[in-house]
Amino acid sequence: MAGEVVEKQDSDKDAGEGKKKLSSWLNKSMKVRMTDGRTLIGIFLCTDRERNVILGSCEEYLRPPESKEKEEPRILGLAMIPGHHIISISIDKSQLEDTEIQ
């Protein structure tokens, strides 16, 4: 029974670290790659238990922004991305470093 309590405390610690990391990403520029090949870039506003993500001021790219062929993004504004369609997310490193300095 004591082992169960320790496991619960470890999972609570991991959950706390995850929440802290997510909190540090709030209002930062986030890039989300999706299963259908699209890339969405916007301001990370929130997420939920199902891993859905809400981006504000969102732009949609049909090809990755790093590709050689340049394209005009489609402006979406506020967008909800279902968690099961997300392949990867990334945050602009320079924005994270700015918050650590302050």
Side-chain angles (χ1 to χ4, degrees):
M1 207 161 172
E4 291 176 21
V5 174
V6 172
E7 289 177 18
K8 176 76 172 140
Q9 290 173 347
D10 289 343
S11 68
D12 287 347
K13 183 180 176 184
D14 292 342
E17 290 174 9
K19 287 179 183 179
K20 187 175 179 180
K21 184 176 227 175
L22 282 174
S23 293
S24 73
W25 292 355
L26 285 173
N27 300 312
K28 304 291 188 281
S29 181
M30 176 181 276
K31 177 169 53 173
V32 178
R33 290 185 50 230
M34 298 176 55
T35 55
D36 62 3
R38 292 181 292 162
T39 301
L40 303 178
I41 299 175
I43 306 300
F44 176 59
L45 298 178
C46 68
T47 189
D48 61 14
R49 290 177 188 251
E50 286 78 35
R51 299 182 318 253
N52 301 316
V53 171
I54 305 288
L55 296 180
S57 304
C58 187
E59 298 178 343
E60 173 190 51
Y61 294 86
L62 298 179
R63 291 184 289 276
E66 301 83 23
S67 69
K68 294 180 181 180
E69 293 181 47
K70 294 297 176 191
E71 70 172 305
E72 287 293 316
R74 185 171 83 151
I75 307 300
L76 300 179
L78 191 64
M80 192 280 287
I81 303 107
H84 62 277
H85 287 296
I86 297 173
I87 293 175
S88 69
I89 60 173
S90 59
I91 301 291
D92 184 1
K93 298 267 191 221
S94 66
Q95 288 186 345
L96 287 176
E97 292 168 1
D98 290 344
T99 57
E100 291 173 2
I101 294 171
Q102 296 175 354

